[in-house]
Amino acid sequence: MNDSSDGLAVVGAGVIGLAVAWRAAAEGHRVTVLDPRPARGGASWVAGGMLAPVAEAWPGEEAALALGEESLRRWPRFAADLRAEGTHPGSGLSESGTVVAAFDGADAEQLDVLARYLTGLGRQATFVTGRQLRRTEPGLGPVRAGLLVPGDLFVDNRSLLEALLAAARLRGVEFVPESARALAADTVWTESGPRRFAAVVLAAGAHSGTLHPQLAGAVRPLKGEILRLRARRGTVPPPARTVRAVVEGRPVYLVPRTGGGLVVGATQYEAGFDTTVTARGVRELLDAAERVFPGVAEYELTETSAGLRAGSDDTVPYLGPLRDGVYAATGHHRNGLLLAPVTADAVLAWLAGTEPPEGTSEARPDRNSSEERIDAGLRQR
Amino acid sequence: MNDSSDGLAVVGAGVIGLAVAWRAAAEGHRVTVLDPRPARGGASWVAGGMLAPVAEAWPGEEAALALGEESLRRWPRFAADLRAEGTHPGSGLSESGTVVAAFDGADAEQLDVLARYLTGLGRQATFVTGRQLRRTEPGLGPVRAGLLVPGDLFVDNRSLLEALLAAARLRGVEFVPESARALAADTVWTESGPRRFAAVVLAAGAHSGTLHPQLAGAVRPLKGEILRLRARRGTVPPPARTVRAVVEGRPVYLVPRTGGGLVVGATQYEAGFDTTVTARGVRELLDAAERVFPGVAEYELTETSAGLRAGSDDTVPYLGPLRDGVYAATGHHRNGLLLAPVTADAVLAWLAGTEPPEGTSEARPDRNSSEERIDAGLRQR
């Protein structure tokens, strides 16, 4: 048996696993990350990169909002620390903000409700007319009303993942290119046998439900397709901010990248572990993107891809020790990039025995558990 | 100077250049092909592979129909000869036929006109009701009427190109991975200098107009985008035949491939030498494909690509000696794959001084020439 029994195992090298590994190694932990495709194999590589807890808030979902905002507050420092490692240009954090666009009367009413809710909570969110919104983002289509959310940010997800990978390596993290097949509080089994650790963090995203009985059924794959496009000579430039909208009942977002790039996402299906890019998914995203930002029709379509989010029942992740002592850092639903800093800080607190960040207690893994689910999970095992 | 002054130069290694080179080498000619990306660089690699002169016929375009049918008659022998070389499984020639589908009353009327025209010419084309057509191709959408054209065939264009490349190599064709910059009846200039030949065939597709003043303006790039899709478990299988239709004024075709593949094409733009795949092009093709064959929505989208057809003014190619003795085998418009056998046979006849195939005289390069165009072309030079 491989023995790293003074060390920390992190199962999964998406944004959560890499953030945890980098931060823990920087604190002096001996860290091993197990993943056959670090950075590139999971949902965070496919994502748009929105850090938008306010624009995505909704009455009744206060736990998600509080945790998201807690992490958003930690983002600038997280990005600065990462840049300070000197291994990579950094996370591509943009502070240009987010707008939400409504294209019909019903959507505009929804935005008005959201604006009142957010200002009631003291958040910065301004309801504006369509004309005002188009002054801010002139490339938008015939928009009825909008919401300006200057505090919601975005990152370049791929730049971030590469920066985290480089920083983790710099800090001595060992990467084992194998999949975990089973795990316990002090052991991870892979194809090459068991490895011992002092502690194990489960950050396997959509696959977490198959690796731990307490998460079986609670974390499920939520397929998402995205497009990557690029402005061409003579086309309108991409929006300066993230643009969110709902088109024919489906949410869509457009997140700019430097150099004229644009990410359009995302479909959302429950389709098991399927990551096929479908004709329907691409067509729906193209239709929606053209509705929101007509100039995109002349952009180059450079990539179509699909990933599997780690869906949770209530969109809130599962953070904290499971009953057998494995630490869960998973179930981040559509918010893994946003929640990476607060999740990494929570793991450090668990390991140090200090108080974890505010909001994480609402994310404890047993919050929704019924005996039936736990029993079902254990029986499946 | 490189001297192959007893040999034949073929400028361009798309389907026309490769067919000419293979056939000429098999007849004992010493052949050199000049192309930086043999097989893969041009329109024929991107194409759908329809061999459909009848389904694409229209009153007034009898020259194109006659030449297309002359080539279609030569296709089975061409495919058999290629297979007999033993270097490749072959051209993927399918004899399952073509159907044309009309989705509204106006399209159905057009089909009726076409059916009467074709049966008047003695061609096999049967006008059927929508119900009858759906019995033949059950995956079609709500179709109003159709045309069965059993004699129109299709090939797997990429398999064909690879088979031609292998057969040409087997027959001793020399491939020079360079672009022609200028040419005359006995010389081709590339980046590495001039090369002498006994004869030069210009088969450079969309680029032919920039290589010879007599073709300047007469051959122009006609951009086309296509999609490649694949059926998945649980989806309806692809159609057995090529399906053609017009959706919102734009022609679309669906050409099946073995193994559940499907090629959907094609957009048509005049956009110079641009080969960018645009959001609009992909969206239009996906919309049209779903209208024609709804089950395609669940297919995997495996590729989007664009190519440049060698557009001609009247859709008929330019076949024969130009005024300075260079042989033109270009301007095949949307029909390079269909017209490859007759074009290769025409080149062999020119070289042997025998009678070229029927229909090729209607394609002589000077058929439309006005002094203005020739003067303009010469001035451009």
Side-chain angles (χ1 to χ4, degrees), chain B residues 35-37 40 46 82 127 144 152 162 168 173 175-176 244 254 263 269 271 277 286 302 318 358 369:
Chain B
D35 193 315
R37 291 187 66 208
R40 292 174 182 250
V46 176
L82 186 57
F127 185 82
R144 289 279 290 268
D152 275 0
E162 283 168 357
V173 172
F175 284 86
V176 176
R244 298 174 46 79
L254 286 70
V263 182
Y269 303 100
V277 175
L286 288 170
T302 56
Y318 300 105
E358 207 163 331
S369 61

PDB file of all heavy atoms in Angstrom, chain B residues 35-37 40 46 82 127 144 152 162 168 173 175-176 244 254 263 269 271 277 286 302 318 358 369:
ATOM      1  N   ASP B  35       0.006  20.451 -54.565  1.00  0.00           N
ATOM      2  CA  ASP B  35      -1.035  20.878 -53.610  1.00  0.00           C
ATOM      3  C   ASP B  35      -0.442  20.786 -52.212  1.00  0.00           C
ATOM      4  O   ASP B  35       0.107  19.749 -51.847  1.00  0.00           O
ATOM      5  CB  ASP B  35      -2.271  19.974 -53.721  1.00  0.00           C
ATOM      6  CG  ASP B  35      -3.477  20.557 -52.982  1.00  0.00           C
ATOM      7  OD1 ASP B  35      -3.319  21.035 -51.832  1.00  0.00           O
ATOM      8  OD2 ASP B  35      -4.581  20.534 -53.548  1.00  0.00           O
ATOM      9  N   PRO B  36      -0.556  21.853 -51.413  1.00  0.00           N
ATOM     10  CA  PRO B  36       0.015  21.787 -50.055  1.00  0.00           C
ATOM     11  C   PRO B  36      -0.748  20.827 -49.129  1.00  0.00           C
ATOM     12  O   PRO B  36      -0.181  20.357 -48.157  1.00  0.00           O
ATOM     13  CB  PRO B  36      -0.076  23.227 -49.550  1.00  0.00           C
ATOM     14  CG  PRO B  36      -1.098  23.880 -50.414  1.00  0.00           C
ATOM     15  CD  PRO B  36      -1.087  23.176 -51.734  1.00  0.00           C
ATOM     16  N   ARG B  37      -2.017  20.543 -49.435  1.00  0.00           N
ATOM     17  CA  ARG B  37      -2.805  19.661 -48.553  1.00  0.00           C
ATOM     18  C   ARG B  37      -3.635  18.709 -49.405  1.00  0.00           C
ATOM     19  O   ARG B  37      -4.859  18.882 -49.528  1.00  0.00           O
ATOM     20  CB  ARG B  37      -3.736  20.474 -47.649  1.00  0.00           C
ATOM     21  CG  ARG B  37      -3.024  21.288 -46.578  1.00  0.00           C
ATOM     22  CD  ARG B  37      -4.057  21.910 -45.627  1.00  0.00           C
ATOM     23  NE  ARG B  37      -4.772  20.896 -44.869  1.00  0.00           N
ATOM     24  CZ  ARG B  37      -6.007  21.042 -44.402  1.00  0.00           C
ATOM     25  NH1 ARG B  37      -6.683  22.142 -44.637  1.00  0.00           N
ATOM     26  NH2 ARG B  37      -6.580  20.070 -43.703  1.00  0.00           N
ATOM     27  N   ARG B  40      -7.398  17.000 -48.475  1.00  0.00           N
ATOM     28  CA  ARG B  40      -8.073  17.633 -47.346  1.00  0.00           C
ATOM     29  C   ARG B  40      -8.231  19.144 -47.438  1.00  0.00           C
ATOM     30  O   ARG B  40      -8.902  19.742 -46.604  1.00  0.00           O
ATOM     31  CB  ARG B  40      -7.316  17.311 -46.057  1.00  0.00           C
ATOM     32  CG  ARG B  40      -7.439  15.851 -45.728  1.00  0.00           C
ATOM     33  CD  ARG B  40      -6.598  15.433 -44.551  1.00  0.00           C
ATOM     34  NE  ARG B  40      -6.757  14.004 -44.367  1.00  0.00           N
ATOM     35  CZ  ARG B  40      -7.402  13.441 -43.352  1.00  0.00           C
ATOM     36  NH1 ARG B  40      -7.932  14.183 -42.408  1.00  0.00           N
ATOM     37  NH2 ARG B  40      -7.517  12.138 -43.273  1.00  0.00           N
ATOM     38  N   VAL B  46     -15.087  18.796 -47.676  1.00  0.00           N
ATOM     39  CA  VAL B  46     -16.181  19.317 -46.844  1.00  0.00           C
ATOM     40  C   VAL B  46     -17.549  18.860 -47.367  1.00  0.00           C
ATOM     41  O   VAL B  46     -18.539  18.875 -46.642  1.00  0.00           O
ATOM     42  CB  VAL B  46     -16.094  20.868 -46.805  1.00  0.00           C
ATOM     43  CG1 VAL B  46     -17.250  21.482 -46.040  1.00  0.00           C
ATOM     44  CG2 VAL B  46     -14.768  21.309 -46.190  1.00  0.00           C
ATOM     45  N   LEU B  82     -11.665   1.951 -59.118  1.00  0.00           N
ATOM     46  CA  LEU B  82     -10.946   2.447 -57.937  1.00  0.00           C
ATOM     47  C   LEU B  82     -10.828   1.342 -56.888  1.00  0.00           C
ATOM     48  O   LEU B  82      -9.766   1.118 -56.305  1.00  0.00           O
ATOM     49  CB  LEU B  82     -11.702   3.661 -57.378  1.00  0.00           C
ATOM     50  CG  LEU B  82     -11.063   4.421 -56.227  1.00  0.00           C
ATOM     51  CD1 LEU B  82      -9.671   4.930 -56.596  1.00  0.00           C
ATOM     52  CD2 LEU B  82     -11.954   5.609 -55.830  1.00  0.00           C
ATOM     53  N   PHE B 127     -43.444  11.868 -58.722  1.00  0.00           N
ATOM     54  CA  PHE B 127     -44.074  12.766 -57.754  1.00  0.00           C
ATOM     55  C   PHE B 127     -44.964  11.932 -56.839  1.00  0.00           C
ATOM     56  O   PHE B 127     -45.766  11.131 -57.318  1.00  0.00           O
ATOM     57  CB  PHE B 127     -44.902  13.808 -58.512  1.00  0.00           C
ATOM     58  CG  PHE B 127     -45.505  14.864 -57.636  1.00  0.00           C
ATOM     59  CD1 PHE B 127     -44.744  15.957 -57.225  1.00  0.00           C
ATOM     60  CD2 PHE B 127     -46.824  14.772 -57.217  1.00  0.00           C
ATOM     61  CE1 PHE B 127     -45.297  16.944 -56.420  1.00  0.00           C
ATOM     62  CE2 PHE B 127     -47.382  15.759 -56.403  1.00  0.00           C
ATOM     63  CZ  PHE B 127     -46.612  16.845 -56.003  1.00  0.00           C
ATOM     64  N   ARG B 144     -45.324  17.649 -47.302  1.00  0.00           N
ATOM     65  CA  ARG B 144     -46.536  17.791 -48.119  1.00  0.00           C
ATOM     66  C   ARG B 144     -46.510  16.919 -49.363  1.00  0.00           C
ATOM     67  O   ARG B 144     -47.541  16.402 -49.796  1.00  0.00           O
ATOM     68  CB  ARG B 144     -46.678  19.255 -48.558  1.00  0.00           C
ATOM     69  CG  ARG B 144     -47.053  20.189 -47.440  1.00  0.00           C
ATOM     70  CD  ARG B 144     -48.552  20.132 -47.168  1.00  0.00           C
ATOM     71  NE  ARG B 144     -49.322  20.732 -48.232  1.00  0.00           N
ATOM     72  CZ  ARG B 144     -49.700  22.007 -48.264  1.00  0.00           C
ATOM     73  NH1 ARG B 144     -49.403  22.791 -47.265  1.00  0.00           N
ATOM     74  NH2 ARG B 144     -50.394  22.475 -49.283  1.00  0.00           N
ATOM     75  N   ASP B 152     -30.394   8.949 -58.747  1.00  0.00           N
ATOM     76  CA  ASP B 152     -29.397   9.877 -58.194  1.00  0.00           C
ATOM     77  C   ASP B 152     -28.724   9.231 -56.996  1.00  0.00           C
ATOM     78  O   ASP B 152     -29.397   8.798 -56.052  1.00  0.00           O
ATOM     79  CB  ASP B 152     -30.071  11.186 -57.771  1.00  0.00           C
ATOM     80  CG  ASP B 152     -30.207  12.169 -58.930  1.00  0.00           C
ATOM     81  OD1 ASP B 152     -29.770  11.826 -60.047  1.00  0.00           O
ATOM     82  OD2 ASP B 152     -30.739  13.271 -58.705  1.00  0.00           O
ATOM     83  N   GLU B 162      -9.684   9.608 -49.999  1.00  0.00           N
ATOM     84  CA  GLU B 162      -8.573   8.792 -49.503  1.00  0.00           C
ATOM     85  C   GLU B 162      -8.272   7.649 -50.465  1.00  0.00           C
ATOM     86  O   GLU B 162      -7.109   7.287 -50.667  1.00  0.00           O
ATOM     87  CB  GLU B 162      -8.882   8.299 -48.088  1.00  0.00           C
ATOM     88  CG  GLU B 162      -8.656   9.432 -47.087  1.00  0.00           C
ATOM     89  CD  GLU B 162      -9.199   9.143 -45.692  1.00  0.00           C
ATOM     90  OE1 GLU B 162      -9.807   8.068 -45.501  1.00  0.00           O
ATOM     91  OE2 GLU B 162      -9.004   9.993 -44.812  1.00  0.00           O
ATOM     92  N   ALA B 168      -3.638   6.908 -56.593  1.00  0.00           N
ATOM     93  CA  ALA B 168      -2.694   7.743 -57.338  1.00  0.00           C
ATOM     94  C   ALA B 168      -1.264   7.412 -56.920  1.00  0.00           C
ATOM     95  O   ALA B 168      -0.370   7.272 -57.758  1.00  0.00           O
ATOM     96  CB  ALA B 168      -3.010   9.224 -57.106  1.00  0.00           C
ATOM     97  N   VAL B 173       2.093   8.445 -58.993  1.00  0.00           N
ATOM     98  CA  VAL B 173       1.950   9.906 -59.033  1.00  0.00           C
ATOM     99  C   VAL B 173       2.865  10.524 -57.977  1.00  0.00           C
ATOM    100  O   VAL B 173       2.921  10.057 -56.838  1.00  0.00           O
ATOM    101  CB  VAL B 173       0.483  10.315 -58.787  1.00  0.00           C
ATOM    102  CG1 VAL B 173       0.357  11.830 -58.626  1.00  0.00           C
ATOM    103  CG2 VAL B 173      -0.406   9.807 -59.908  1.00  0.00           C
ATOM    104  N   PHE B 175       3.653  13.610 -55.513  1.00  0.00           N
ATOM    105  CA  PHE B 175       2.951  14.723 -54.868  1.00  0.00           C
ATOM    106  C   PHE B 175       3.961  15.737 -54.364  1.00  0.00           C
ATOM    107  O   PHE B 175       4.864  15.399 -53.609  1.00  0.00           O
ATOM    108  CB  PHE B 175       2.078  14.211 -53.709  1.00  0.00           C
ATOM    109  CG  PHE B 175       0.827  13.539 -54.182  1.00  0.00           C
ATOM    110  CD1 PHE B 175       0.836  12.175 -54.514  1.00  0.00           C
ATOM    111  CD2 PHE B 175      -0.345  14.245 -54.341  1.00  0.00           C
ATOM    112  CE1 PHE B 175      -0.317  11.554 -54.976  1.00  0.00           C
ATOM    113  CE2 PHE B 175      -1.498  13.630 -54.807  1.00  0.00           C
ATOM    114  CZ  PHE B 175      -1.481  12.278 -55.129  1.00  0.00           C
ATOM    115  N   VAL B 176       3.804  16.972 -54.794  1.00  0.00           N
ATOM    116  CA  VAL B 176       4.660  18.075 -54.344  1.00  0.00           C
ATOM    117  C   VAL B 176       3.806  18.957 -53.442  1.00  0.00           C
ATOM    118  O   VAL B 176       2.831  19.554 -53.909  1.00  0.00           O
ATOM    119  CB  VAL B 176       5.184  18.883 -55.549  1.00  0.00           C
ATOM    120  CG1 VAL B 176       5.983  20.096 -55.070  1.00  0.00           C
ATOM    121  CG2 VAL B 176       6.020  17.998 -56.458  1.00  0.00           C
ATOM    122  N   ARG B 244     -33.319  15.856 -49.980  1.00  0.00           N
ATOM    123  CA  ARG B 244     -33.146  17.266 -50.323  1.00  0.00           C
ATOM    124  C   ARG B 244     -34.443  18.009 -50.023  1.00  0.00           C
ATOM    125  O   ARG B 244     -35.527  17.442 -50.122  1.00  0.00           O
ATOM    126  CB  ARG B 244     -32.822  17.422 -51.807  1.00  0.00           C
ATOM    127  CG  ARG B 244     -31.528  16.762 -52.240  1.00  0.00           C
ATOM    128  CD  ARG B 244     -31.353  16.846 -53.743  1.00  0.00           C
ATOM    129  NE  ARG B 244     -31.648  18.188 -54.226  1.00  0.00           N
ATOM    130  CZ  ARG B 244     -30.814  19.218 -54.157  1.00  0.00           C
ATOM    131  NH1 ARG B 244     -29.617  19.049 -53.641  1.00  0.00           N
ATOM    132  NH2 ARG B 244     -31.174  20.398 -54.605  1.00  0.00           N
ATOM    133  N   LEU B 254     -29.548  16.235 -46.654  1.00  0.00           N
ATOM    134  CA  LEU B 254     -29.093  15.320 -45.609  1.00  0.00           C
ATOM    135  C   LEU B 254     -28.585  14.076 -46.326  1.00  0.00           C
ATOM    136  O   LEU B 254     -29.353  13.409 -47.024  1.00  0.00           O
ATOM    137  CB  LEU B 254     -30.233  14.936 -44.661  1.00  0.00           C
ATOM    138  CG  LEU B 254     -30.720  15.993 -43.652  1.00  0.00           C
ATOM    139  CD1 LEU B 254     -31.455  17.127 -44.332  1.00  0.00           C
ATOM    140  CD2 LEU B 254     -31.611  15.355 -42.590  1.00  0.00           C
ATOM    141  N   VAL B 263     -24.437  13.837 -43.005  1.00  0.00           N
ATOM    142  CA  VAL B 263     -23.887  15.138 -43.385  1.00  0.00           C
ATOM    143  C   VAL B 263     -25.058  16.050 -43.749  1.00  0.00           C
ATOM    144  O   VAL B 263     -25.934  15.650 -44.519  1.00  0.00           O
ATOM    145  CB  VAL B 263     -22.927  15.021 -44.587  1.00  0.00           C
ATOM    146  CG1 VAL B 263     -22.340  16.393 -44.934  1.00  0.00           C
ATOM    147  CG2 VAL B 263     -21.810  14.027 -44.290  1.00  0.00           C
ATOM    148  N   TYR B 269     -22.571  31.236 -49.641  1.00  0.00           N
ATOM    149  CA  TYR B 269     -22.315  32.669 -49.569  1.00  0.00           C
ATOM    150  C   TYR B 269     -21.201  33.041 -50.527  1.00  0.00           C
ATOM    151  O   TYR B 269     -20.297  32.240 -50.764  1.00  0.00           O
ATOM    152  CB  TYR B 269     -21.777  33.084 -48.183  1.00  0.00           C
ATOM    153  CG  TYR B 269     -22.604  32.743 -47.002  1.00  0.00           C
ATOM    154  CD1 TYR B 269     -22.292  31.636 -46.222  1.00  0.00           C
ATOM    155  CD2 TYR B 269     -23.667  33.549 -46.614  1.00  0.00           C
ATOM    156  CE1 TYR B 269     -23.031  31.322 -45.094  1.00  0.00           C
ATOM    157  CE2 TYR B 269     -24.411  33.248 -45.486  1.00  0.00           C
ATOM    158  CZ  TYR B 269     -24.088  32.128 -44.729  1.00  0.00           C
ATOM    159  OH  TYR B 269     -24.818  31.836 -43.623  1.00  0.00           O
ATOM    160  N   ALA B 271     -18.226  35.155 -50.141  1.00  0.00           N
ATOM    161  CA  ALA B 271     -17.521  35.803 -49.032  1.00  0.00           C
ATOM    162  C   ALA B 271     -16.023  35.791 -49.261  1.00  0.00           C
ATOM    163  O   ALA B 271     -15.235  35.707 -48.332  1.00  0.00           O
ATOM    164  CB  ALA B 271     -17.867  35.098 -47.720  1.00  0.00           C
ATOM    165  N   VAL B 277     -16.400  29.146 -39.941  1.00  0.00           N
ATOM    166  CA  VAL B 277     -17.719  28.591 -39.625  1.00  0.00           C
ATOM    167  C   VAL B 277     -18.438  29.593 -38.733  1.00  0.00           C
ATOM    168  O   VAL B 277     -17.964  29.922 -37.644  1.00  0.00           O
ATOM    169  CB  VAL B 277     -17.598  27.243 -38.901  1.00  0.00           C
ATOM    170  CG1 VAL B 277     -18.968  26.746 -38.468  1.00  0.00           C
ATOM    171  CG2 VAL B 277     -16.913  26.221 -39.800  1.00  0.00           C
ATOM    172  N   LEU B 286     -28.943  23.716 -38.687  1.00  0.00           N
ATOM    173  CA  LEU B 286     -29.615  22.926 -37.638  1.00  0.00           C
ATOM    174  C   LEU B 286     -31.124  23.119 -37.711  1.00  0.00           C
ATOM    175  O   LEU B 286     -31.890  22.156 -37.602  1.00  0.00           O
ATOM    176  CB  LEU B 286     -29.086  23.326 -36.257  1.00  0.00           C
ATOM    177  CG  LEU B 286     -27.666  22.865 -35.922  1.00  0.00           C
ATOM    178  CD1 LEU B 286     -27.182  23.539 -34.638  1.00  0.00           C
ATOM    179  CD2 LEU B 286     -27.601  21.345 -35.774  1.00  0.00           C
ATOM    180  N   THR B 302     -20.960  16.302 -34.477  1.00  0.00           N
ATOM    181  CA  THR B 302     -19.551  15.892 -34.388  1.00  0.00           C
ATOM    182  C   THR B 302     -18.601  16.837 -35.112  1.00  0.00           C
ATOM    183  O   THR B 302     -17.413  16.843 -34.829  1.00  0.00           O
ATOM    184  CB  THR B 302     -19.352  14.474 -34.963  1.00  0.00           C
ATOM    185  OG1 THR B 302     -19.851  14.453 -36.308  1.00  0.00           O
ATOM    186  CG2 THR B 302     -20.108  13.443 -34.150  1.00  0.00           C
ATOM    187  N   TYR B 318     -15.640  24.696 -66.280  1.00  0.00           N
ATOM    188  CA  TYR B 318     -14.795  25.112 -67.395  1.00  0.00           C
ATOM    189  C   TYR B 318     -13.854  23.966 -67.712  1.00  0.00           C
ATOM    190  O   TYR B 318     -12.943  23.672 -66.934  1.00  0.00           O
ATOM    191  CB  TYR B 318     -14.024  26.385 -67.043  1.00  0.00           C
ATOM    192  CG  TYR B 318     -14.949  27.531 -66.714  1.00  0.00           C
ATOM    193  CD1 TYR B 318     -15.148  27.945 -65.402  1.00  0.00           C
ATOM    194  CD2 TYR B 318     -15.655  28.186 -67.728  1.00  0.00           C
ATOM    195  CE1 TYR B 318     -16.021  28.983 -65.099  1.00  0.00           C
ATOM    196  CE2 TYR B 318     -16.530  29.226 -67.429  1.00  0.00           C
ATOM    197  CZ  TYR B 318     -16.711  29.617 -66.120  1.00  0.00           C
ATOM    198  OH  TYR B 318     -17.576  30.636 -65.824  1.00  0.00           O
ATOM    199  N   GLU B 358     -19.307  13.198 -74.236  1.00  0.00           N
ATOM    200  CA  GLU B 358     -20.436  14.035 -74.607  1.00  0.00           C
ATOM    201  C   GLU B 358     -20.735  15.029 -73.484  1.00  0.00           C
ATOM    202  O   GLU B 358     -20.629  14.702 -72.307  1.00  0.00           O
ATOM    203  CB  GLU B 358     -21.658  13.146 -74.843  1.00  0.00           C
ATOM    204  CG  GLU B 358     -22.663  13.737 -75.805  1.00  0.00           C
ATOM    205  CD  GLU B 358     -23.624  12.680 -76.324  1.00  0.00           C
ATOM    206  OE1 GLU B 358     -23.217  11.500 -76.413  1.00  0.00           O
ATOM    207  OE2 GLU B 358     -24.765  13.049 -76.610  1.00  0.00           O
ATOM    208  N   SER B 369     -17.441  33.869 -72.777  1.00  0.00           N
ATOM    209  CA  SER B 369     -16.493  34.963 -72.612  1.00  0.00           C
ATOM    210  C   SER B 369     -16.884  36.147 -73.474  1.00  0.00           C
ATOM    211  O   SER B 369     -17.246  36.034 -74.635  1.00  0.00           O
ATOM    212  CB  SER B 369     -15.077  34.506 -72.936  1.00  0.00           C
ATOM    213  OG  SER B 369     -14.999  34.068 -74.260  1.00  0.00           O
TER     214      SER B 369
END
